[in-house]
Structures are given as C-alpha cells and as structure tokens.
Amino acid sequence: MRIAVIQLAYGDDESFEARVDRVAGLVAAHSGHDLVVLPELWGATGFDYTRWAGQAQPLDGPWARAMADAARAAGVVLHAGSFVERRPESGVDGHDLANTSLLYSADGHLLATYRKIHRFGFGAGEPKLMEAGDEVVVTGIPLSGGGSVLTGLSTCYDLRFPELYRRQVAAGAELFVIPAAWSAARVGHWVLLGRARAVENQAVVVQCNTAGSHGGYDMGGHSQVVSATGEVLAEAAGDEHGRAVEQ
C-alpha cells in the first residue's frame, strides 16, 4: 500500500480560497499512491475559532466538491482532512457546526464521513462551538492492486482515547488514519500516543499533522506512519512536507 502524508503549513495571511487551490495542487503531485492524507481543519484553521462560522459549509459545499475533484484528478483515495461542517440542524448540545472528515475514492465519490467524537478545548473552541460526533467509522480503502484495507477514522484529540481504537479494531480495522492540528507545545504526546495506538492494537497508524503558525499557535508537525509492530516507517520534521511510504 502506497501512502502519502501531506503535512501542510499555513499562516493567518493566506485566504481560504487560495489554500484550497494550493492543496489541490499538492494532492495532484502525489498521483500514483493508494492513499493521500491531509490534516485537520486546514481550510478554516485549527485554532482561529473566529473563522469557523464564516467558513462553515454543508457536506456538498464548495470545499467538499474541490476535494472530490482533487481525488478524481489525481486518481487517488483522498482523506481530505477535516472541515467545519454546517449541519442541517443543531444537535443535542445546540450547535450546528461539526469537525467533519471526508474520505473520497479515486473517482471522486464519497466513501466515508466521520464527525470528531472527542472535542478539544476545555470549555472553549470545539466544545463551545461544535457538536460532537457519535459514530465509530470503519471503512474499506480500495487498493490499486485489488482488495481493500479496513480503516478506522479519527481526528486529532481522539488519539488520547484508546477505547475508540479498540472499538475500531473490533469492527475489523487494520489501519488507523488520524489527521490533526496538534500544537508544538504537546507534540511529544502526538508522537508517543500514535506509536502506542499502533502497538497496543497491532494496527498501522497514519498521522497527518499541521505545520506553520496560525491564531497565535505554533503547530507541531512530526507526522508519521507507524507499523503494527511500532516501527516508524516514515516521519516528518516540523515544516511543510509530503512524505510517502509503501507498506
């Protein structure tokens, strides 16, 4: 399985539209892979909460269409990271926003949708503005040589909750894909916990973090792909990078 992880860097000065165009180009550069992965909330930014409501879109909005087009143009399965979804109606906490990940097939069709279950913010940010997801998502990622790999989807702060990954393994997952906007201040936990999730579940872990600085936060980078035995197959430093691995 050939996997490309795009550790995207961005700042506060780049517009949403310009970043979407730039990311589409980065996806195109990784044609030939079975799976390309992008970070969490890379369009609306992970920590500038003031932008979220204004950049929220429905599941069939311009951001989603652009990512479907990018997957189709590159001929890759694309985990598009996550975006701020404008839900059709408010949930139990009274919010109509969600942190939502979309997975596209190589022909641009939507394979899976995952809404982040564990919201980060300690009373601010996601808990204050977003509705939590409630569905454990495991889906097959088709391989170019035939067959598929059952894959569990999660996002960033979810990584701190091992019981979620046990539920994914119980549903047949052999691979975990985890996009994130994880800050530099706690990047040691990001690296350690990813390796722990791999070893304790005997599953491959693909982690795609954000680089750069935005909203007053330095981002941690250090994306990695970890084998089911805990071996680091590929890792990035703290800057923008695309890393590929064959497993």
Side-chain angles (χ1 to χ4, degrees), residues 51-62:
R51 300 189 184 199
W52 288 358
Q55 294 178 348
Q57 298 183 14
L59 283 176
D60 59 353

Side-chain angles (χ1 to χ4, degrees), residues 109-129:
H109 288 98
L110 186 62
L111 290 174
T113 301
Y114 170 72
R115 294 178 178 90
K116 187 175 180 180
I117 293 174
H118 301 98
R119 297 166 294 177
F120 176 78
F122 308 104
E126 288 179 304
K128 185 176 180 179
L129 300 172

Side-chain angles (χ1 to χ4, degrees), residues 1 8 10 13 34 41 51 61 68 126 137 139 145 148 153 171 173 185 189 194 204 213 217 232 237-238:
M1 184 177 189
L8 183 71
Y10 59 83
D13 56 344
D34 291 296
L41 293 179
R51 300 189 184 199
E126 288 179 304
V137 176
T139 189
S148 63
L153 305 185
H189 295 183
V204 175
S213 179
Y217 288 85
V232 178

Side-chain angles (χ1 to χ4, degrees), residues 58-89:
L59 283 176
D60 59 353
W63 184 91
R65 292 197 298 270
M67 292 301 97
D69 290 345
R72 187 183 306 110
V76 298
V77 175
L78 175 64
H79 189 306
S82 71
F83 77 113
V84 181
E85 178 195 359
R86 177 77 68 185
R87 295 161 48 105
E89 56 187 29

Side-chain angles (χ1 to χ4, degrees), residues 5-130:
V5 175
I6 299 177
Q7 181 171 285
L8 183 71
Y10 59 83
D12 294 320
D13 56 344
E14 184 180 31
S15 73
F16 181 94
E17 293 75 18
R19 194 173 304 133
V20 171
D21 288 344
R22 180 163 68 91
V23 166
L26 291 171
V27 172
H30 291 86
S31 179
H33 289 79
D34 291 296
L35 174 65
V36 176
V37 186
L38 292 166
E40 176 191 26
L41 293 179
W42 56 264
T45 80
F47 280 94
D48 190 350
Y49 311 137
T50 63
R51 300 189 184 199
W52 288 358
Q55 294 178 348
Q57 298 183 14
L59 283 176
D60 59 353
W63 184 91
R65 292 197 298 270
M67 292 301 97
D69 290 345
R72 187 183 306 110
V76 298
V77 175
L78 175 64
H79 189 306
S82 71
F83 77 113
V84 181
E85 178 195 359
R86 177 77 68 185
R87 295 161 48 105
E89 56 187 29
S90 297
V92 295
D93 290 334
H95 307 311
D96 66 350
L97 303 181
N99 186 343
T100 302
S101 296
L102 301 180
L103 180 72
Y104 290 99
S105 69
D107 57 6
H109 288 98
L110 186 62
L111 290 174
T113 301
Y114 170 72
R115 294 178 178 90
K116 187 175 180 180
I117 293 174
H118 301 98
R119 297 166 294 177
F120 176 78
F122 308 104
E126 288 179 304
K128 185 176 180 179
L129 300 172
M130 289 180 163

